[in-house]
Amino acid sequence: MPIAKVDGVEVEFEAGMSVLQVAELAGKEIPRFCYHERLSIAGNCRMCLVEVKPGPPKPQASCALPCAEGNEIFTDTPMVRKARHGVMEFLLINHPLDCPICDQGGECDLQDQAMGYGRDGSRYSENKRAVEEKYMGPLIKTVMTRCIQCTRCVRFITEVAGVPDIGLISRGEDVEITTYLDKAVASELSANVIDLCPVGALTSKPYAFNARPWELTKTESVDVMDALGSAIRVDSRGSAVLRVLPRVNEDVNEEWISDKTRYAVDGLSRQRLDRPFIREGGRLRPASWGEAFDAVAGKLKAAQPERIGVIAGDLQDAESMKAALDLFGGMGIKSLDCRQDGMALGGGARESWLFNSTIAGIEDADVVLLVGCNPRVEAPVLNARLRKRWVAGALKVGVIGEAVDLTYGHDHLGADAKALSGLSKSKADFVAALKNAKAPAIVVGAGALARVDGATVLAAAAGVAKSFGMTWNVLHSAASRVGGLDLGFVPGEGGKSAGELVKKGGADVLFLLGADEIDLSETDAFVIYLGTHGDAGAHRADVILPGAAYTEKNGIYVNTEGRVQLGQRAVFPKGEAKEDWAILRALSERLGAKLPYDSLDQLRAKLFADHPSFGRIDHVDGPSAAAGLDLGALGAKGELSDAPLASAVRAFHLTNPIARASVTMAECASLASGATKMAAE
């Protein structure tokens, strides 16, 4: 490996690294505004100036300068300090210096670097330039007079998000960053530009003027808005969650999160269930916990086990599902299901329902076949990884399903499942690429498996994967789905599925564990709803037991690749609401079937003992475990329907009760549906 000297210290580095990266290897801090390790190099802020020998006797931008064998790099000479002072002075010529009213205050790179590398005064007395604000949609607030033209936002939207809605116009002192025709940024990842902006030019519109960073309690947790399990930080003050930010997790979300993950949090404080309710005379009335438990216990005791059904929702943690499984399974109830959508998976090998390539590992694939899924709305961060691989010219993508804009080029091989059986007759170049691929992968969406012919589609997709030697992947859209399948939260012998339970006469008593994504219009059962929001389940319920949202409890979630992650409580449940497992534990005493744990630690100990995979925190088995999967045993033979394959996510911003209660998400959904004008006309 080549060797360079940084301030007199020898450092080994990989060929092709920049001077800035080599300096950081040596532990030297190099200030920068435009440079970001996940974006292309712009080299336009000039803040990262260093002195390099051999070379011209002048400061050079370290981000854009390749390091060579024998280079001597100086990061703190008088020349470098004077140059950085000058650059900072230039950057502040037009900056309004409105830190007291800027939301970036306390988290601003310009503030920090002005203190560390700037002058204590300015030699310029001319009037500052003012720039008109730009419209970027309901999420991004702009104060473009603060902009220093680092172009991070332009490069992210163009390169990572793949929706080139932000650009640079004009030249010289008139240069401005703007959207085209005052159009809202049409990306599910758009708000990441707020984190990237090193000044206060782009800030969070819903969060504007709410709090300063030092007022907030910061809690590390995981996201439940999709099945990816992105690493997040929940910032709260008192009993309110004020914002969600991404954490770096190279194996899952890198450092990006979707707009829904970031902005659905205002739904945590709206339409909340904060006390038990009992329906009397067709209307719900507030009740005590004792009354609610008595009503529930009376109905459950009076019904036969085969006439009782339990359905788990899409946001449930593993502990609540384990408690429900122990309680109701111990009562002889066989009709338990975590698949509200009727997905044709469960009960087989664990690898049959996992994303076996792993989220990070999908970047090693050279050919990917997407079947009945739209990763742009089902898992936007995963879609960004696919785009990154495609931009590098190392990925060919085929799609069987809806013709949609995925932000990268792909071959559309057919709209319905019959295209799977005729794949060899479709586009010859894609089939040839599949045959010659070194690491092909198939990604089957939840929508493809949640159909009447879901089992047949499953068998057909598995057959294609087997014939071409593809890694088997299922892309789930529900945060709780893999955990529920790992627990065996599926109907036992003689039990009914979720779809059968909600039919008229399907059950006498129906217990909904946060289940809101299933049609309850036909059921004539006595409905018990344990959940957080006044959504579909609560509207139909006869008894409501208020539970805790994902930010209000410690919980285990398993993402689509089978990675077990810990969610942490940031605030306490609203009003009289309790954690879900604690409600089930209290109910078990009323039923005379007391659960054998009194604390979350005891519950987790039993969970790990009964299901060892849950004890392997942050571990994934990956493609090696899937190599032994018998693809020929998946699904069932039958006639494939000619109905078009559709994504499981029809409205990206409104997929769960929290998002549907969010005012911000409602505004985004209205914009996405075209109800609001997208551009100036």
Side-chain angles (χ1 to χ4, degrees):
M1 292 178 69
I3 297 175
K5 281 187 177 180
V6 180
D7 292 340
V9 178
E10 287 191 348
V11 179
E12 280 190 340
F13 64 94
E14 295 180 16
M17 293 182 75
S18 68
V19 168
L20 185 150
Q21 291 171 316
V22 174
E24 289 193 332
L25 282 179
K28 299 296 181 179
E29 181 181 339
I30 305 294
R32 83 291 296 269
F33 290 112
C34 69
Y35 175 79
H36 191 279
E37 53 272 14
R38 302 190 197 277
L39 305 176
S40 62
I41 294 172
N44 55 4
C45 78
R46 320 308 288 179
M47 195 64 207
C48 63
L49 296 173
V50 297
E51 192 176 349
V52 181
K53 295 180 181 179
K58 65 175 185 178
Q60 300 186 69
S62 61
C63 69
L65 182 65
C67 193
E69 170 74 39
N71 276 167
E72 291 187 68
I73 304 165
F74 301 94
T75 67
D76 197 28
T77 63
M79 179 193 292
V80 169
R81 286 196 294 271
K82 183 177 180 181
R84 289 174 180 170
H85 285 167
V87 170
M88 183 59 69
E89 190 175 4
F90 272 118
L91 290 174
L92 294 177
I93 288 174
N94 287 314
H95 195 79
L97 304 178
D98 55 350
C99 301
I101 62 165
C102 177
D103 268 325
Q104 198 81 350
E107 300 172 310
C108 178
D109 291 348
L110 189 62
Q111 280 183 334
D112 296 340
Q113 294 183 38
M115 290 294 293
Y117 306 99
R119 291 168 52 93
D120 58 0
S122 175
R123 291 167 289 180
Y124 293 89
S125 58
E126 290 85 354
N127 291 333
K128 293 179 181 288
R129 181 184 75 151
V131 181
E132 288 185 1
E133 309 313 342
K134 313 300 180 186
Y135 174 71
M136 293 191 180
L139 305 179
I140 305 168
K141 177 186 175 184
T142 64
V143 184
M144 300 313 292
T145 303
R146 300 170 184 159
C147 180
I148 61 171
Q149 288 83 45
C150 72
T151 69
R152 279 188 181 183
C153 55
V154 177
R155 284 175 284 146
F156 173 83
I157 287 295
T158 304
E159 297 167 9
V160 179
V163 183
D165 287 343
I166 301 178
L168 210 61
I169 61 171
S170 301
R171 300 178 65 186
E173 66 174 352
D174 296 323
V175 71
E176 297 180 17
I177 285 177
T178 184
T179 56
Y180 305 113
L181 299 175
D182 284 338
K183 179 181 180 295
V185 182
S187 169
E188 295 75 20
L189 297 167
S190 65
N192 286 290
V193 300
I194 294 166
D195 299 328
L196 289 171
C197 185
V199 296
L202 304 178
T203 56
S204 172
K205 190 176 285 187
Y207 178 70
F209 309 123
N210 271 2
R212 289 296 192 186
W214 52 84
E215 299 178 79
L216 304 175
T217 300
K218 301 168 179 62
T219 307
E220 294 186 352
S221 191
V222 294
D223 173 47
V224 299
M225 293 294 134
D226 57 34
L228 224 59
S230 299
I232 60 173
R233 192 187 83 196
V234 180
D235 287 358
S236 58
R237 183 177 61 190
S239 61
V241 173
L242 296 185
R243 66 177 180 178
V244 163
L245 298 177
R247 288 189 292 122
V248 175
N249 187 335
E250 298 293 349
D251 293 329
V252 181
N253 60 304
E254 298 180 296
E255 59 184 272
W256 319 125
I257 55 174
S258 73
D259 292 346
K260 181 167 55 176
T261 297
R262 188 185 299 265
Y263 284 120
V265 292
D266 64 322
L268 291 167
S269 60
R270 293 184 169 89
Q271 299 181 22
R272 287 301 301 271
L273 302 173
D274 58 358
R275 68 186 69 181
F277 288 87
I278 296 176
R279 189 177 297 276
E280 289 182 354
R283 302 187 65 178
L284 290 169
R285 67 165 179 85
S288 67
W289 276 106
E291 288 180 290
F293 281 148
D294 287 341
V296 172
K299 287 292 182 178
L300 288 172
K301 287 179 179 178
Q304 296 297 316
E306 60 272 16
R307 299 294 299 165
I308 300 174
V310 184
I311 303 174
D314 292 349
L315 305 183
Q316 292 305 123
D317 56 288
E319 291 91 341
S320 65
M321 289 189 287
K322 173 60 174 169
L325 202 61
D326 288 349
L327 173 58
F328 297 111
M331 295 169 61
I333 296 169
K334 303 291 186 182
S335 300
L336 302 100
D337 205 347
C338 66
R339 305 163 304 180
Q340 294 184 88
D341 54 8
M343 172 182 282
L345 268 176
R350 184 173 189 251
E351 289 74 25
S352 67
W353 57 74
L354 295 185
F355 196 92
N356 292 291
S357 291
T358 73
I359 294 166
I362 199 66
E363 292 188 34
D364 297 327
D366 49 4
V367 179
V368 171
L369 175 62
L370 304 177
V371 180
C373 68
N374 179 358
R376 180 173 174 180
V377 295
E378 293 177 41
V381 176
L382 175 67
N383 198 60
R385 283 191 186 269
L386 292 170
R387 174 177 165 77
K388 179 168 65 171
R389 179 75 167 163
W390 176 82
V391 167
L395 180 66
K396 190 172 184 65
V397 180
V399 173
I400 296 178
E402 297 172 290
V404 293
D405 179 10
L406 294 173
T407 72
Y408 44 84
H410 59 272
D411 293 328
H412 189 249
L413 307 176
D416 57 49
K418 289 185 176 179
L420 285 165
S421 57
L423 185 60
S424 59
K425 301 176 183 177
S426 30
K427 291 194 176 180
D429 58 339
F430 182 81
V431 175
L434 261 182
K435 291 177 179 177
N436 299 323
K438 295 179 180 178
I442 187 170
V443 179
V444 183
L449 304 177
R451 299 161 30 119
V452 175
D453 64 341
T456 309
V457 174
L458 175 61
V464 170
K466 185 176 182 179
S467 61
F468 288 102
M470 307 166 83
T471 303
W472 177 256
N473 299 295
V474 176
L475 180 58
H476 294 277
S477 56
S480 66
R481 187 61 50 82
V482 173
L485 295 176
D486 285 352
L487 285 168
F489 207 107
V490 293
E493 187 177 352
K496 297 179 180 178
S497 67
E500 293 169 329
L501 287 170
V502 297
K503 297 294 184 185
K504 186 173 183 179
D508 292 338
V509 179
L510 194 57
F511 194 103
L512 303 179
L513 189 61
D516 291 281
E517 315 306 322
I518 192 166
D519 185 6
L520 299 168
S521 59
E522 287 188 33
T523 184
D524 54 359
F526 184 87
V527 178
I528 303 153
Y529 178 76
L530 193 166
T532 59
H533 285 72
D535 206 79
H539 287 173
R540 175 59 187 82
D542 295 292
V543 176
I544 293 175
L545 307 175
Y550 74 105
T551 56
E552 300 162 2
K553 58 186 174 185
N554 296 312
I556 291 175
Y557 299 91
V558 188
N559 75 352
T560 193
E561 62 181 346
R563 185 183 302 273
V564 179
Q565 301 186 102
L566 298 176
Q568 304 293 336
R569 182 176 64 200
V571 296
F572 287 95
K574 305 296 181 188
E576 298 178 31
K578 308 293 181 186
E579 294 183 26
D580 300 8
W581 76 267
I583 295 172
L584 292 167
R585 165 64 180 78
L587 178 60
S588 70
E589 286 199 75
R590 296 294 181 107
L591 292 170
K594 183 179 176 181
L595 293 173
Y597 29 78
D598 299 318
S599 68
L600 185 62
D601 288 341
Q602 292 176 355
L603 169 52
R604 284 182 174 173
K606 189 171 191 307
L607 172 65
F608 298 161
D610 294 348
H611 306 276
S613 66
F614 286 89
R616 298 183 294 167
I617 306 298
D618 205 38
H619 170 80
V620 288
D621 293 325
S624 59
L629 177 64
D630 182 7
L631 292 171
L634 296 184
K637 301 299 180 183
E639 184 69 24
L640 288 168
S641 167
D642 57 2
L645 290 169
S647 168
V649 174
R650 308 310 302 167
F652 168 72
H653 302 95
L654 306 174
T655 56
N656 59 65
I658 298 173
R660 287 191 289 270
S662 165
V663 172
T664 306
M665 289 296 97
E667 190 174 353
C668 290
S670 175
L671 196 64
S673 68
T676 305
K677 287 197 297 183
M678 293 287 288
E681 295 180 357

